[in-house]
Amino acid sequence: MSRIIRSRWQRWINRRIPRSDVQLLTQRNLFILPTAAGVVFGMLLLIMLITGINYQNSLIYLITFLLGAVFVGAMHQTHRNLSGLELTLVQAGEGFAGDEILFRLRAAAGKDDAIALTLSGDDVSVRVGHVPSGQSVDVAFPVPSAFRGYLRPDQIKIETRFPFGLLKAWSWMRPVSAAVVFPRPLVAPEVISAVEDGDETASSRSPEGNDHAEIRPWREGDMSQRVMWKRFVRSGQMVVADWEADKGSPHWLDFNAFPGADHELRLSYLSWLVLERGKSGARFGLNLPGQVIEPDSGPAHTTRCLRALATWGEKKPRDAFSEPHGTRSYGDSARPAAVTSGGRP
């Protein structure tokens, strides 16, 4: 029964607060209830009222009604702290599996000050503090990650208990944008690209500038992708680059270069290799099943390769559904067709 009630409550919340990267808090999506201290305070007021009625004591009436007015005033102030506040997701961060991924949010107050605000999620709480009227405050909200893939928090709760802690006003933000979680880097064994001469996966490689390639005249049956077209334009000679079959291309990081390793472990090896090539500034390309990134260098190229490793075989979360720790699934049915086994670094 409790599961059914929670499920219906969650569906009602999802309809009332749809997914959006910009959440404006209004009377429609704000909630307010007494805290434990507020419940005790209300019970004491009731006891005082009954006592005043029983003894017909004017002083007890006065104190009871004064404290009741304080409670009502606190209720209005607590609600007004959040009313008109706009919460915006500025940037969904990136990071490695196992780390906390930062979501950068911006809280902008309306016509009233927002006081003593707190953002919270799964075992995470960030104190925002005071947001003056008409101003904004940027907040870094950390979200724990477990697996590579897309990461999107299901709900980010914003609440306040100002001024006396007798009542709590709160609402939620349900972001649309997802962060990208890279595979956890693991030191890779000494291997060379397993892509050999003539493989279709090497069709987009650029042989120019490789010391391990032998230039020879074009022969019937050679792949057109291996023809050095720039030299053909300059000299009119059609030549091809003949890779040494036992070495492969040193400019490529290849998914198939780690025989016997499961797919997630291979991605972790490649993640480490990408970081190492990025630190040295070397030119490299990335060869994944169904995806090839041309050789290049620089921080932008390194980030692109890490993103490709993170999202390989993963589906971007839909608006109506998200998994709290990324998109890695435990069932084989949710894996890409090429994946038959895999760890989760």
Side-chain angles (χ1 to χ4, degrees), residues 280-302:
S280 64
R283 180 182 175 87
F284 68 95
L286 181 63
N287 179 40
L288 295 173
Q291 184 177 7
V292 174
I293 297 179
E294 295 291 337
D296 203 346
S297 60
H301 179 64
T302 300

Side-chain angles (χ1 to χ4, degrees), residues 299-320:
H301 179 64
T302 300
T303 303
R304 182 188 176 193
C305 291
L306 289 174
R307 288 174 180 168
L309 295 173
T311 59
W312 179 77
E314 301 296 324
K315 294 182 179 180
K316 201 166 186 178
R318 298 172 296 173
D319 289 350

Side-chain angles (χ1 to χ4, degrees), residues 59-233:
L59 182 59
I60 296 179
Y61 278 133
L62 177 62
I63 296 176
T64 301
F65 293 142
L66 283 176
L67 292 178
V70 170
F71 187 84
V72 174
M75 179 174 61
H76 285 285
Q77 179 60 46
T78 303
H79 186 273
R80 192 169 65 174
N81 280 339
L82 291 183
S83 182
L85 183 73
E86 185 176 75
L87 202 60
T88 304
L89 176 61
V90 178
Q91 181 184 22
E94 297 176 335
F96 294 93
D99 296 339
E100 290 186 336
I101 311 300
L102 293 181
F103 283 70
R104 303 195 179 278
L105 305 171
R106 178 168 297 155
K111 62 180 181 179
D112 298 312
D113 291 0
I115 306 174
L117 305 181
T118 302
L119 294 176
S120 60
D122 295 334
D123 301 324
V124 176
S125 181
V126 177
R127 184 176 177 82
V128 180
H130 180 204
V131 183
S133 173
Q135 299 184 27
S136 62
V137 172
D138 290 343
V139 184
F141 185 77
V143 177
S145 65
F147 313 126
R148 71 171 181 92
Y150 295 101
L151 174 66
R152 183 175 67 179
D154 187 42
Q155 295 176 343
I156 299 177
K157 185 178 183 181
I158 180 168
E159 67 174 272
T160 180
R161 302 190 180 195
F162 184 83
F164 303 121
L166 300 176
L167 297 111
K168 178 181 73 172
W170 78 95
S171 186
W172 292 280
M173 180 184 187
R174 305 178 62 238
V176 173
S177 300
V180 177
V181 183
F182 308 139
R184 192 75 180 174
L186 294 177
V187 179
E190 293 291 338
V191 296
I192 300 177
S193 171
V195 179
E196 296 184 357
D197 186 21
D199 283 354
E200 292 183 2
T201 53
S203 61
S204 61
R205 293 184 303 183
S206 175
E208 296 188 31
N210 195 317
D211 296 332
H212 298 277
E214 179 183 358
I215 306 301
R216 61 170 177 81
W218 178 85
R219 295 194 297 261
E220 186 176 357
D222 288 334
M223 299 175 62
S224 61
Q225 292 89 342
R226 293 170 51 207
V227 175
M228 301 183 69
W229 295 108
K230 291 184 178 179
R231 179 171 295 189
F232 175 74
V233 172

